[in-house]
Amino acid sequence: MSRVIGKVAIVTGGGSGLGRADARALAREGARVMVTDVDEDAARAVAQEIGGEYLRHDVRSEQDWQAVIERTVARYGKLDVLVNNAGIVVPADIESATLEQYRLINAIHAEGTFLGCKYGIGAMKRKPGGGGSIINISSLSAVRGFPGVVTYAAAKGAILSITTTVAAHCREKGDGIRCNAILPGMIATPLLEAVVGAECPGVGQPDDVANTVLFLASDESRHMSGAHIVLDNASSIIGGGA
Ligand code: NAD
């Protein structure tokens, strides 16, 4: 019950699905957690459940990011772990997707993760001794062809590139900050239900992602940075067909 004891974590999109499971797991293992979400009521409910704090936070907003980082450090004294998890999906293929959708999805996933890394690193560096762990939630759709989610896949691909670049930057700076990405396959959450419906056998559970988040947040993963971790129970590597 102490794998992340003493650490301070921010989980974006922490009011539902994977973010909620991450927040619960981090709190259970000893972290103090700031739950943020554009849905303030959802964030508040999770924070109350786990004994953490919450903030309304739209990850598209640079001002919101500055306020969230500032208030987390003011409340808990530092930042050790940032989980860039918030997201939505708008199902559409390349022929039906609109530029407006593309920009919206990229603003949330790609720009949100960019801002999180930018301001998260700033706070982590200021702490005595430095160090920290940034965990970016990408998706299997970044590296496999799912025709019906083109804007989402593009944004999730950007998250992988941001992760690689940030990890290389932090290693070069020697600041002890690590940055890794998780690429979940289908996980049972409201987001997945919106895409494929309620009935979808064989999907993963939010705790399957949360356990990986916990590992990346903890010092157990201290030599791991720049990794792209596929979490799909082998669904993407099973052969078949011509
Ligand atoms: P979810 O809908 O259950 O939760 C997403 C949360 O993000 C919600 O609480 C929502 O209010 C919040 N959010 C949405 N827009 C926001 C914004 N602009 N600012 C702040 N918060 C915002 O979905 P989920 O399945 O838990 O998804 C979490 C992350 O996991 C997303 O990045 C998603 O793309 C990714 N993911 C999910 C799956 C899956 O199968 N469920 C697979 C791969 C990746």
Side-chain angles (χ1 to χ4, degrees), residues 6-225:
K7 294 191 188 293
V8 174
I10 295 172
V11 180
T12 73
S16 175
L18 305 188
R20 179 168 56 196
D22 298 344
R24 284 174 174 158
L26 289 164
R28 189 190 71 228
E29 293 293 334
R32 286 165 291 170
V33 183
M34 179 64 79
V35 181
T36 81
D37 204 297
V38 73
D39 181 342
E40 189 172 358
D41 291 341
R44 182 190 303 114
V46 174
Q48 282 172 351
E49 179 200 320
I50 66 171
E53 300 279 334
Y54 72 94
L55 286 170
R56 187 193 178 277
H57 178 197
D58 186 334
V59 294
R60 292 173 292 177
S61 161
E62 189 160 15
Q63 277 181 331
D64 278 11
W65 267 111
Q66 288 167 318
V68 163
I69 298 285
E70 196 179 302
R71 290 177 66 177
T72 302
V73 173
R75 173 69 181 84
Y76 291 124
K78 61 175 182 166
L79 177 66
D80 300 294
V81 176
L82 169 62
V83 187
N84 283 312
N85 163 82
I88 65 166
V89 62
V90 178
D93 64 27
I94 185 63
E95 297 186 68
S96 60
T98 65
L99 182 58
E100 193 183 14
Q101 289 168 353
Y102 187 88
R103 288 178 173 157
L104 169 68
I105 295 294
N106 272 275
I108 296 174
H109 292 275
E111 293 181 21
T113 300
F114 162 76
L115 290 170
C117 292
K118 179 177 172 63
Y119 289 105
I121 287 172
M124 288 172 181
K125 279 173 76 166
R126 284 198 299 275
K127 146 184 99 169
S133 176
I134 299 173
I135 302 156
N136 294 331
I137 306 302
S138 177
S139 161
L140 196 59
S141 65
V143 292
R144 293 285 181 269
F146 297 104
V149 288
V150 62
T151 57
Y152 179 81
K156 290 304 198 184
I159 289 175
L160 292 185
S161 305
I162 293 169
T163 302
T164 304
T165 313
V166 167
H169 171 81
C170 292
R171 180 176 162 133
E172 197 174 273
K173 295 281 178 189
D175 55 23
I177 299 169
R178 301 181 291 107
C179 183
N180 293 286
I182 302 175
L183 292 72
M186 291 196 288
I187 311 288
T189 70
L191 178 140
L192 181 72
E193 202 173 316
V195 181
V196 298
E199 295 302 316
C200 194
V203 301
Q205 296 302 314
D207 276 349
D208 297 322
V209 178
N211 287 331
T212 308
V213 166
L214 202 49
F215 169 68
L216 292 173
S218 79
D219 295 338
E220 296 159 24
S221 58
R222 66 184 184 186
H223 198 58
M224 183 178 275
S225 190

